[in-house]
Amino acid sequence: MDITSKKSVLSAQASDALLIGVVEGETELAGEALEIDRKLSGKLSDIIASGEFAGKQNQLTIVHTFESISAKRVILAGLGKRSKLTADSVRNLIGMAAKLVRKVSARTCSVSLENLSQTGLEVEELSRVICEGFILGLYKFKFHKTNVDNKDQEVEVEEVSILCSDENQLAALDQGIKVGTLISMGVITARDLGNHPGNYITPSKLGEIASDMAKENGVSCTIYDKAGVEKLGMGAFLSVAKGSDEPLNLIKLEYKPAKPVNSKPVIFVGKAVTFDSGGISLKGSEDMHKMKDDMSGGAAVIAVTATAARMGLPVHIITIVPACENLPSGKASKPGDIVKTMSGKTVEIQNTDAEGRLILSDALHFATTYAPELIVDVATLTGACVVALGSISTGLLGNNEGLISRIKDAGAKSGERVWELPMWDEYHEAMESDVADLRNVGGRKAGTITAAKFLEDFVGETPWVHLDIAGTSWNDKESGYTAKGASGAGVRLLTQFLIDYNG
Ligand code: BES
Ligand code: ZN
Ligand code: ZN
């Protein structure tokens, strides 16, 4: 699909569909929308006056033009109440409209900045949001579909034109398209990785993909195999991987632009358990297949690193992704086992299904050896986070107010919701073991927080934020710009964080 800018007006477009946004309660058509209404003999305002279309949030009504104008149809798109209008609500509406455009087999679609200026968004942000809405809204994971029965004959949207009437807007419009496209590519990379099954994305395959992506984008990539990880002394990571016949992989990416704004690296760490069966503490079989996405944190930070490089952002980044499977076998770790982490701290494994924090404990300590400016980790870490926040918001926990508030800002700007949970010292008690320095489970209470308290022990004094994406990494149903399956959680958030990063 091509998304292009054009100096033109809606009424001049010979598109299969024109999108016209309408704010609820402000249904008097104006500007380009009014011009089209006149050419359609007032049909749009009739439909509005009849109450059939009220501009309610995400309401979509198709109006066929029967050649009164060059475009085949107009789609009236409800922007909802002004008080609830945000960049994200517009992105959602565009995503829904894009799905409708595809459903009616329209190949070309036009939207205009003049019409959508009523959203109050600046040109660059508006065009970025339109772009993300279309690209992400139309995403489908078809990689493993052979379509032998030819059932999937859907027409794809081929061209989206974003129109502006004022030439002076073109530069900002194009910049928005560029940023929106690159961010969407990153999200799609992460979605694809999360949707691929465990027999396709093994730890080695993830390493290959990361290394290819790095090569394409001027990022350096180092992969540590089992011997390398042993040398580093990552006893916790090794203890998770050893139940599987698939070899583990520790992936390290480094993006170092010519003149970085930071003297010490920003480090991203992502959990990549390419399949989490629970190990000897085996999970129930219901929904176990979804644990193929237990590498979504790793996928997100790999995608963010590639995106930063593609955008040429002036931030020095190191990305660390411990990748392995968590399986039961005669070689697997057993509840009660005690392992020594790279940091020297010992951990009693009381539940082999709490494997994410084990591999992260070593990856986080490894990160501190680079004397970083800050660390952000992303992980599908706890079922408790799904219970607390559902798939609406990512859980955010950390040890540094300043960093926490910058991530929150990036959340507000990118439309990826994050919600902070407390990190009071008292929560640490649950992670104490009778026989080792720590244990890897903290009981039923406050599971997301106790997991984060465990991780905190491995970051030292480094400013650190932990993002628990267990709930947000996967969507059971599609809506707006989301699709069923892996969501690409973390990519828009952290790319925004990097765009705004200034040392
Ligand atoms: N990968 C899971 C967490 C998860 C659960 C992600 C549901 C997405 C959806 C993690 O490894 C896990 O199994 N955590 C356990 C920890 C518990 C044993 C302390 C959990 O949350 O149940
Ligand atoms: Zn687990
Ligand atoms: Zn897991």
Side-chain angles (χ1 to χ4, degrees):
M1 181 174 62
D2 278 339
I3 303 185
T4 50
S5 61
K6 238 191 222 176
K7 187 179 167 304
S8 183
V9 290
L10 282 172
S11 58
Q13 295 308 297
S15 302
D16 294 335
L18 304 179
L19 282 191
I20 294 186
V22 176
V23 175
E24 186 178 353
E26 300 175 24
T27 50
E28 192 83 22
L29 296 175
E32 292 182 25
L34 180 61
E35 193 189 341
I36 290 179
D37 187 41
R38 288 207 177 112
K39 291 193 166 152
L40 295 178
S41 320
K43 288 284 179 295
L44 300 182
S45 29
D46 285 352
I47 289 169
I48 291 169
S50 74
E52 181 181 338
F53 178 84
K56 287 199 186 320
Q57 194 167 5
N58 296 342
Q59 187 182 10
L60 296 167
T61 298
I62 297 180
V63 184
H64 289 272
T65 62
F66 301 107
E67 288 165 18
S68 320
I69 53 173
S70 342
K72 286 198 184 128
R73 44 180 95 64
V74 167
I75 299 180
L76 291 172
L79 288 159
K81 293 207 172 83
R82 179 157 298 281
S83 60
K84 295 212 166 158
L85 246 175
T86 61
D88 203 48
S89 74
V90 178
R91 192 187 284 110
N92 250 310
L93 172 64
I94 298 285
M96 288 197 66
K99 286 179 170 106
L100 181 62
V101 168
R102 176 171 59 194
K103 197 167 151 212
V104 299
S105 299
R107 292 176 194 275
T108 57
C109 180
S110 302
V111 295
S112 94
L113 293 186
E114 189 265 357
N115 166 248
L116 290 174
S117 64
Q118 45 181 331
T119 58
L121 300 176
E122 299 288 337
V123 172
E124 183 179 331
E125 184 170 32
L126 182 55
S127 79
R128 172 175 155 185
V129 157
I130 294 167
C131 228
E132 291 175 3
F134 266 99
I135 302 176
L136 299 177
L138 292 176
Y139 171 84
K140 272 194 179 175
F141 183 66
K142 291 187 184 165
F143 191 89
H144 301 279
K145 291 238 186 224
T146 60
N147 201 19
V148 277
D149 306 325
N150 222 11
K151 273 188 200 147
D152 200 6
Q153 277 191 324
E154 225 164 34
V155 164
E156 290 299 333
V157 181
E158 286 163 9
E159 202 185 309
V160 174
S161 306
I162 308 180
L163 314 179
C164 69
S165 43
D166 177 355
E167 209 153 297
N168 295 325
Q169 294 179 323
L170 270 175
L173 171 52
D174 285 334
Q175 179 64 12
I177 293 179
K178 190 174 146 201
V179 174
T181 304
L182 289 174
I183 291 185
S184 304
M185 273 172 67
V187 175
I188 285 176
T189 298
R191 284 187 185 175
D192 281 347
L193 290 171
N195 282 323
H196 277 303
N199 65 337
Y200 182 84
I201 299 277
T202 58
S204 321
K205 179 79 179 179
L206 187 63
E208 275 169 36
I209 293 174
S211 138
D212 288 349
M213 210 179 289
K215 231 177 261 160
E216 281 161 27
N217 296 295
V219 170
S220 62
C221 176
T222 313
I223 295 198
Y224 301 78
D225 61 6
K226 186 175 172 214
V229 169
E230 276 170 353
K231 218 166 159 191
L232 289 168
M234 295 186 165
F237 182 23
L238 287 159
S239 78
V240 175
K242 71 182 190 167
S244 168
D245 289 341
E246 285 293 341
L248 62 72
N249 239 334
L250 176 68
I251 303 162
K252 188 182 91 188
L253 302 175
E254 180 163 14
Y255 166 61
K256 196 165 187 186
K259 283 192 189 128
V261 289
N262 50 333
S263 53
K264 297 194 278 175
V266 163
I267 303 201
F268 294 129
V269 175
K271 168 182 174 182
V273 175
T274 58
F275 188 75
D276 180 13
S277 71
I280 295 296
S281 314
L282 196 64
K283 288 181 182 293
S285 51
E286 198 190 339
D287 279 353
M288 198 205 268
H289 64 281
K290 288 186 190 163
M291 283 299 129
K292 67 178 183 176
D293 95 324
D294 210 21
M295 33 59 69
S296 295
V301 296
I302 290 169
V304 168
T305 312
T307 306
R310 288 179 192 134
M311 288 182 173
L313 298 179
V315 189
H316 177 200
I317 305 164
I318 295 179
T319 296
I320 296 166
V321 178
C324 68
E325 288 188 333
N326 184 23
L327 294 183
S329 79
K331 293 200 200 104
S333 291
K334 303 165 290 294
D337 285 359
I338 295 175
V339 294
K340 190 168 200 145
T341 63
M342 184 184 179
S343 73
K345 292 195 171 92
T346 55
V347 179
E348 181 190 5
I349 302 173
Q350 287 191 349
N351 188 320
T352 63
D353 196 11
E355 84 298 340
R357 62 198 76 182
L358 293 172
I359 71 173
L360 288 176
S361 66
D362 279 335
L364 288 169
H365 178 78
F366 183 46
T368 64
T369 64
Y370 292 94
E373 184 72 42
L374 60 95
I375 302 175
V376 178
D377 81 72
V378 189
T380 45
L381 205 66
T382 63
C385 196
V386 190
V387 175
L389 301 171
S391 51
I392 308 297
S393 176
T394 289
L396 178 158
L397 306 99
N399 65 359
N400 181 285
E401 284 300 326
L403 179 57
I404 289 170
S405 88
R406 287 159 81 186
I407 299 283
K408 284 182 181 170
D409 287 347
K413 263 184 145 174
S414 65
E416 253 201 89
R417 290 194 175 106
V418 292
W419 195 256
E420 187 183 358
L421 297 172
M423 286 284 275
W424 293 305
D425 288 345
E426 288 81 349
Y427 287 110
H428 189 272
E429 206 177 299
M431 303 312 299
E432 284 162 18
S433 160
D434 292 339
V435 287
D437 299 332
L438 286 164
R439 59 176 185 155
N440 77 330
V441 291
R444 278 171 46 80
K445 293 181 182 172
T448 304
I449 303 174
T450 54
K453 289 307 280 184
F454 178 95
L455 297 181
E456 189 181 26
D457 276 3
F458 298 90
V459 296
E461 298 301 311
T462 314
W464 157 77
V465 155
H466 161 60
L467 297 167
D468 193 331
I469 58 165
T472 46
S473 70
W474 189 266
N475 292 309
D476 286 323
K477 52 181 197 316
E478 66 167 33
S479 74
Y481 59 87
T482 66
K484 250 186 177 180
S487 68
V491 176
R492 285 187 298 125
L493 174 72
L494 293 181
T495 307
Q496 187 65 53
F497 172 72
L498 290 174
I499 289 174
D500 295 336
Y501 193 86
N502 48 21

